[in-house]
Amino acid sequence: MSSVRKPKRLRDMVEAKRVHIKTFGCQMNVYDSERIAEALAPIGFTQTNRPDDADLIVLNTCHIREKAAEKVYSELGRLRQLKSARQAEGKRTTIAVAGCVAQAEGAEIIRRSPVVDIVVGPQSYHRLPDLLFRAFQEGRRVVDTEFPDEDKFAHLPPRGKRQSCTAFITVQEGCDKFCTFCVVPYTRGIEVSRPVAAIVAEAERLVAGGVREITLLGQNVNAYHGEGPDGRTWSLARLLARLAEIEGLERLRYTTSHPRDMSADLIAAHGDNPKLMPYLHLPVQAGSDRVLAAMNRRHTARDYIELVERIRAARPDIALSSDIIVGFPGETDEDFEATLALVREVEFAQAFSFKYSPRPGTPAAKLDEQIDEAVKAERLARLQALLNEQQQKFNRHAVGRTMPVLFEKPGRNDGQIVGRSPYLQAVHAKGERRLIGQLREVEISAAERNSLSGVIKTTPDRGMTVAMGV
Ligand code: 5AD
Ligand code: SF4
């Protein structure tokens, strides 16, 4: 009865609604999108993967590489048609742009794209219900790209129940490193670390809901320096040690790290913390000291190689991953050869490689000697050929070995399940769906470039128990 008396618009707000969230970019955006969905749940939103079925569409955008903003504008062009098609059916569609493009472009988005109702930056999305209400109730278009004083995490609802046995937790945001090619310090702001207690509470909740593996996220996660329960500043290594105490949590990972912040206690943790997986994403960006200096990386190629040696001394089987840029302004053939030489020396298990793209507002974008596209493409192809070779070699090395695999989901083929090795390789095996969410020893029988396949070993104890019918 009471709902009948509610003003029409308010009733529209609280009725069951659907939200479609499209995520671009990094794992931190994947995490933010989950939290956005959780922030909208209490006001009646459930998720849909069909944009044409959604009352609210959120584009969670990324600004890191080329044409990011242009991609968002063309996506908005498509949504314009969708919005008017739905309008013709008497349905209202609210469109929100979130994430780093929202932060970088701000009100410009509303000006250029009349289809947008809400622009919300990565630090303000906990206010989405409120912004939505304003957009809806007052019929206004709203922009919120402040870096608010309040901690958004403290204002978000607790983590909901998850489908998956793996989860991300953002523990640190922003970056003070100011690499000259990178927009992150401008879109995500300075480094801020969440307090230990909040992270532990979030992790415990996730584990109670069935999560077995947690990846700690941060733009520069190994610079983590959060407030500990003892009032002191805790390092990432200390946080990882505390999280490892959570019963039921089997695996920990973290990404992404700066070589300069690979502290001695964190290196030691790779040898000491049994739950910390032997995989490390450690961007090097280039192998020429001249280019590294121009990038303001504050390390040399030798520093990086020596660091890798120290990490490998702590954990000999660690799989190393990296980010590498080719064609930074002024990069000569010789500089590029130095990058190839570094890659040959380190031997990566896998790596991401990119053509340099000038990002508006960054110092490198203003440098003369921008490199020709064709040269960048040729260098990228050569680098990727080398990285592919190394990845294949790393994967082939797994064949014949037995390793624990955490099964995450059904595979593409019937009767197949897929999980991850400790080294983050995808592993396919024949197995029952009930094994999803569990760790099993798998003997690896074959390696592709991007994945492994193997046979699940029956543990002798369990095999016996089943055979004896106990
Ligand atoms: N051009 C090319 N690659 C870039 N990255 C960041 N900024 C740029 C840019 N302007 C890459 C870096 C970083 C990864 C996330 O994206 O390698 O580590
Ligand atoms: Fe960007 Fe990473 Fe450099 Fe920070 S450390 S400025 S996030 S590339």
Side-chain angles (χ1 to χ4, degrees), residues 228-300:
D230 54 2
R232 301 234 174 124
T233 301
W234 282 32
S235 65
L236 186 66
R238 200 155 172 210
L239 173 67
L240 286 163
R242 172 65 188 86
L243 292 171
E245 287 171 10
I246 299 175
E247 222 172 294
L249 178 62
E250 309 278 0
R251 291 177 158 190
L252 284 163
R253 304 180 187 275
Y254 61 92
T255 197
T256 187
S257 296
H258 192 286
R260 283 277 291 229
D261 293 316
M262 234 26 239
S263 54
D265 66 338
L266 188 55
I267 296 174
H270 280 281
D272 301 341
N273 186 331
K275 293 188 181 174
L276 185 56
M277 290 295 101
Y279 176 94
L280 177 63
H281 181 66
L282 191 64
V284 65
Q285 311 296 359
S288 143
D289 288 344
R290 215 179 56 80
V291 173
L292 286 167
M295 286 176 163
N296 190 32
R297 289 290 292 174
R298 292 183 271 171
H299 62 79
T300 62

Side-chain angles (χ1 to χ4, degrees), residues 64 175-179 181-185 219-220 256 258 285 297:
I64 193 108
C175 183
D176 297 347
K177 289 284 183 293
F178 288 95
C179 299
F181 53 80
C182 185
V183 285
V184 166
Q219 263 94 26
N220 191 12
T256 187
H258 192 286
Q285 311 296 359
R297 289 290 292 174

Side-chain angles (χ1 to χ4, degrees), residues 324-327 331 336 340 351-356 372-388:
I324 302 170
I325 296 176
V326 300
E331 185 188 69
F336 175 63
L340 293 179
F352 304 96
S353 47
F354 314 100
K355 285 192 278 187
Y356 169 76
D372 197 73
E373 270 308 307
V375 174
K376 284 188 207 172
E378 197 232 291
R379 288 180 186 166
L380 187 68
R382 281 185 65 200
L383 174 61
Q384 288 186 338
L386 175 60
L387 291 170
N388 285 346

Side-chain angles (χ1 to χ4, degrees), residues 342-356:
L342 179 135
V343 171
R344 281 191 205 100
E345 188 159 351
V346 173
E347 291 219 27
F348 292 101
Q350 72 108 49
F352 304 96
S353 47
F354 314 100
K355 285 192 278 187
Y356 169 76

Side-chain angles (χ1 to χ4, degrees), residues 11 24 70 120 158 163 177 201 203 226 321 354 362 384 390 432 439:
R11 205 183 57 211
F24 301 80
E70 293 319 308
V120 61
Q163 305 289 320
K177 289 284 183 293
S321 156
F354 314 100
T362 59
Q384 288 186 338
Q390 295 192 342
E432 292 170 40
L439 272 165

Side-chain angles (χ1 to χ4, degrees), residues 70-134:
E70 293 319 308
K71 277 184 204 152
V72 173
Y73 286 116
S74 52
E75 182 78 30
L76 288 170
R78 285 191 287 278
L79 291 183
R80 189 179 189 160
Q81 290 166 15
L82 185 146
K83 190 167 179 166
S84 23
R86 277 177 51 93
Q87 202 164 17
E89 293 169 20
K91 294 178 188 156
R92 177 171 181 165
T93 318
T94 303
I95 294 183
V97 179
C100 293
V101 174
Q103 188 65 42
E105 297 271 300
E108 174 70 8
I109 298 183
I110 296 240
R111 208 183 55 73
R112 261 184 75 175
S113 188
V115 76
V116 175
D117 303 281
I118 297 170
V119 176
V120 61
Q123 298 310 331
S124 319
Y125 64 74
H126 58 295
R127 295 179 180 165
L128 248 179
D130 184 44
L131 299 176
L132 216 77
F133 199 78
R134 272 161 56 195

